[in-house]
Amino acid sequence: MDFPFDINALFPERISVLDQNLATGRKSSGRPDPQAQIATVIDELGKASAKAQKLPAPITSAAKLQSNRHHFYLLKEGESNGGRGVAVGFLKVGYKKLFLLDQRGAHVETEPLCVLDFYITENLQRHGYGLELFSYMLQHKRVEPEQMAYDRPSPKFLSFLGKHFELKNSVPQVNNFVVFDGFFRNKSAGQLRKVPPKKPEGEIKPYSLSEREAIREEQRALPWPFVRPAAPPLSPPLAPSSQFSRSLSVGSSPSHAPLRPAPASGAHPGHPQNSHVIENCRAKRTSSLNRSRLSFH
Ligand SMILES: CC(=O)SCCNC(=O)CCNC(=O)[C@H](O)C(C)(C)COP(=O)(O)OP(=O)(O)OC[C@H]1O[C@@H](n2cnc3c(N)ncnc32)[C@H](O)[C@@H]1OP(=O)(O)O
């Protein structure tokens, strides 16, 4: 996706990590980040992601990023677009308090890092960019893929997780989040709190909505005459765990440190441990990057 401004000036690193302040962590030559242009990039990518997933509205925007403690990883290709660079895609993660069912069907309260939104521009999909971005995030957050929860993963994303990380067997849940075998392994009692037995009628409250469900709720809440025609039902992910539409997320945590401290956001942190994975992703790419591009003007 290209823009009528210089992506390389906005995002000096190949992968930038943005937080609530929409800051890339690096200020070029003492200037503040040109926030309006950064916001435009986030908004346009968010819209394209929603469109690709057939969501009724974007779940990622600059405004939403500013009001949540999420991390937004942006991948660019610096040489494209006459040297001004293009935005290739993004990955958004954040901690969520979730009530999940373990393998024995017991409710546990947990607060994992969740993948909330993930998008690579259409013409660049299946070239290894998604893996590059995801691998970077894993190193930045120092987390393994099976320790994470996935907010209503799309069929493409499920295929991605199966192919690259052998995440194939999910543990059935009664909400939109998908977790895989291994999620409940190696977790201390502090990380997984058993929820007391349920009293009759939905007592584990308050539940808030997942990002995706929240969008649907926002749309439903519009007063007449602003109510839009009913959106087509979201297609549930193919995982058996996601056949239920109601999320039991208790919302995004207002403030939460990662399980282990992560390096400062912004720059590519040195040479990552599994940099061979990232190198492989790059090697996989073809010249399609320059052939066709989504353009924002
Ligand atoms: C919680 C959430 O965020 S759910 C939303 C996930 N996002 C989307 O569905 C938006 C549209 N899809 C995309 O943006 C991308 O395809 C992503 C982000 C899922 C993956 O990024 P990519 O750069 O395409 O992935 P990468 O090239 O590293 O890996 C390729 C693998 O991903 C999966 N994949 C990617 N595109 C497709 C596709 N069109 N159909 C099926 N599987 C696909 C496959 O497993 C593929 O391997 P294969 O080509 O051997 O079949």
Side-chain angles (χ1 to χ4, degrees), residues 68 95-99 151 174-177 204-215 217 245-254:
N68 286 284
Y95 289 92
K96 290 254 175 198
K97 267 198 181 138
L98 300 177
F99 288 107
D151 185 359
V174 291
N175 59 26
N176 282 330
F177 285 87
I204 307 171
K205 289 196 173 177
Y207 296 146
S208 75
L209 303 167
S210 79
E211 305 270 307
R212 288 143 211 278
E213 287 299 298
I215 286 293
E217 292 297 311
S245 65
R246 183 79 186 165
S247 164
L248 298 190
S249 157
V250 289
S252 69
S253 328

Side-chain angles (χ1 to χ4, degrees), residues 48-53 55 59 88 90-92 114-122 124-134 149-164 212 281 284-285:
S49 178
K51 196 172 166 204
Q53 297 174 60
L55 298 174
I59 53 175
V88 171
F90 74 93
L91 172 61
K92 187 176 77 172
C114 301
V115 175
L116 305 171
D117 204 1
F118 188 18
Y119 174 70
I120 298 294
T121 53
E122 264 71 14
L124 297 177
Q125 288 173 16
R126 287 186 141 155
H127 287 72
Y129 287 107
L131 180 58
E132 180 179 352
L133 203 44
F134 199 86
Y150 300 90
D151 185 359
R152 203 179 173 110
S154 66
K156 287 185 186 179
F157 190 27
L158 287 171
S159 165
F160 171 95
L161 291 170
K163 177 189 165 110
H164 295 305
R212 288 143 211 278
C281 315
K284 214 181 146 193
R285 272 163 223 140

Side-chain angles (χ1 to χ4, degrees), residues 11-278:
F11 306 107
E13 309 296 333
R14 182 174 169 82
I15 296 180
S16 301
V17 189
L18 281 79
D19 58 15
Q20 241 178 344
N21 304 314
L22 304 191
T24 56
R26 246 199 205 185
K27 308 260 192 275
S28 46
S29 60
R31 279 187 294 124
D33 282 318
Q35 294 240 335
Q37 292 180 342
I38 291 178
T40 300
V41 174
I42 297 169
D43 288 347
E44 292 306 314
L45 285 170
K47 281 185 218 162
S49 178
K51 196 172 166 204
Q53 297 174 60
K54 299 187 172 56
L55 298 174
I59 53 175
T60 298
S61 66
K64 285 180 198 295
L65 202 57
Q66 282 171 310
S67 56
N68 286 284
R69 290 195 180 248
H70 295 157
H71 269 150
F72 179 97
Y73 296 82
L74 181 125
L75 173 63
K76 70 161 191 186
E77 267 293 1
E79 289 88 47
S80 309
N81 194 23
R84 295 204 301 184
V86 295
V88 171
F90 74 93
L91 172 61
K92 187 176 77 172
V93 300
Y95 289 92
K96 290 254 175 198
K97 267 198 181 138
L98 300 177
F99 288 107
L100 295 174
L101 299 173
D102 67 14
Q103 281 99 337
R104 287 165 301 158
H107 272 108
V108 287
E109 186 185 339
T110 178
E111 194 168 359
L113 188 64
C114 301
V115 175
L116 305 171
D117 204 1
F118 188 18
Y119 174 70
I120 298 294
T121 53
E122 264 71 14
N123 57 309
L124 297 177
Q125 288 173 16
R126 287 186 141 155
H127 287 72
Y129 287 107
L131 180 58
E132 180 179 352
L133 203 44
F134 199 86
S135 303
Y136 182 94
M137 177 278 297
L138 293 176
Q139 288 166 37
H140 183 247
K141 291 289 185 188
R142 297 183 186 168
V143 68
E144 298 295 328
E146 69 270 17
Q147 295 172 312
M148 300 187 70
Y150 300 90
D151 185 359
R152 203 179 173 110
S154 66
K156 287 185 186 179
F157 190 27
L158 287 171
S159 165
F160 171 95
L161 291 170
K163 177 189 165 110
H164 295 305
F165 301 103
E166 290 292 316
L167 293 182
K168 291 181 176 152
N169 301 315
S170 59
V171 182
Q173 301 300 321
V174 291
N175 59 26
N176 282 330
F177 285 87
V178 171
V179 293
F180 293 90
D181 273 359
F183 181 87
F184 296 98
R185 265 198 308 270
N186 307 324
K187 280 228 180 353
S188 67
Q191 288 168 301
L192 290 179
R193 204 161 60 81
K194 285 255 184 268
V195 176
K198 221 174 141 208
K199 292 183 203 146
E201 243 351 88
E203 276 302 311
I204 307 171
K205 289 196 173 177
Y207 296 146
S208 75
L209 303 167
S210 79
E211 305 270 307
R212 288 143 211 278
E213 287 299 298
I215 286 293
R216 296 174 77 190
E217 292 297 311
E218 273 172 27
Q219 295 248 320
R220 264 184 228 134
L222 284 173
W224 188 91
F226 303 108
V227 183
R228 300 188 196 153
L234 286 177
S235 50
L238 298 181
S241 53
S242 318
Q243 55 189 303
F244 303 94
S245 65
R246 183 79 186 165
S247 164
L248 298 190
S249 157
V250 289
S252 69
S253 328
S255 155
H256 198 288
L259 292 176
R260 277 167 278 169
S265 44
H268 213 300
H271 209 60
Q273 291 164 319
N274 52 348
S275 54
H276 63 280
V277 176
I278 293 177

